[in-house]
Amino acid sequence: MDADEERPTKRHRQIEVVAPARIRCRHILLKHRDMKLRQPMDPVRRRPVERSREEAEAMLRGFLSEVLGDANRFPLLARKHSECTSCLKGGDQAGDLGWLARSNGTVRSTAASGSTTGRSAATGSNSSSAMAKEVEEVAFQLAVGELSDIVMSEA
């Protein structure tokens, strides 16, 4: 090879980021009276939800600030305030939705064992057996241990 000739450059490896097939996440769910439901109910405390959307958002912002300051506060806040039956789980599992898998654009809960990935979302929506599309999009983009901002949905 001549000094004037350039050496061939190395090919850069292209790293393909693949979204995980399953995640485990937890959340704090707050409903508000402005939802499309006739009268939203808190299934945990068995009473109608009276707060406005703005009040729910302000509460969730406060919870998010607390958890950003001390991640160990999450299960305590979920147990005390969440309007999802997942808040009834014991210990650090309060608010845990379990393992979730993507399937044809929807997320479904799966029974599996393993460690919690620590993905967390504060959600202002109605609870259902399938995760709301808005929550799914955020949850599957989070890194392990990362917290999302508030996610609003009507599901």
Side-chain angles (χ1 to χ4, degrees), residues 23 102 119-123 131-143 146-152:
I23 62 168
R102 241 182 238 223
R119 299 163 189 258
S120 302
T123 60
M131 184 183 287
K133 179 183 173 189
E134 299 88 349
V135 178
E136 172 191 344
E137 289 174 6
V138 172
F140 275 86
Q141 290 179 6
L142 293 173
E146 184 178 9
L147 292 169
S148 78
D149 196 358
I150 295 172
V151 179
M152 293 287 195

Side-chain angles (χ1 to χ4, degrees), residues 128-129 139:
S128 67
S129 60

Side-chain angles (χ1 to χ4, degrees), residues 13-153:
R13 290 186 189 176
Q14 290 186 352
I15 299 173
E16 185 177 327
V17 177
V18 178
R22 293 184 328 147
I23 62 168
R24 189 157 186 186
C25 69
R26 55 191 183 167
H27 74 164
I28 296 173
L29 177 95
L30 288 184
K31 298 178 183 184
H32 54 83
R33 68 175 177 243
D34 305 324
M35 295 174 64
K36 291 180 182 177
L37 299 172
R38 279 185 293 169
Q39 177 63 50
M41 292 290 291
D42 177 348
V44 178
R45 292 155 196 91
R46 296 186 179 141
R47 63 180 180 215
V49 175
E50 307 271 331
R51 77 178 67 82
S52 69
R53 180 180 178 139
E54 293 77 21
E55 290 169 325
E57 187 173 346
M59 288 176 69
L60 288 168
R61 291 256 173 247
F63 302 157
L64 186 57
S65 293
E66 279 189 60
V67 172
L68 287 171
D70 180 6
N72 293 325
R73 300 271 307 145
F74 192 97
L76 302 171
L77 291 169
R79 191 170 297 108
K80 185 174 181 180
H81 300 286
S82 186
E83 294 169 346
C84 174
T85 54
S86 66
C87 77
L88 300 173
K89 294 182 179 177
D92 290 342
Q93 299 301 309
D96 187 356
L97 296 174
W99 287 98
L100 304 171
R102 241 182 238 223
S103 174
N104 298 327
T106 62
V107 175
R108 66 187 192 312
S109 182
T110 61
S113 61
S115 62
T116 304
T117 61
R119 299 163 189 258
S120 302
T123 60
S125 67
N126 182 15
S127 177
S128 67
S129 60
M131 184 183 287
K133 179 183 173 189
E134 299 88 349
V135 178
E136 172 191 344
E137 289 174 6
V138 172
F140 275 86
Q141 290 179 6
L142 293 173
V144 174
E146 184 178 9
L147 292 169
S148 78
D149 196 358
I150 295 172
V151 179
M152 293 287 195
S153 74

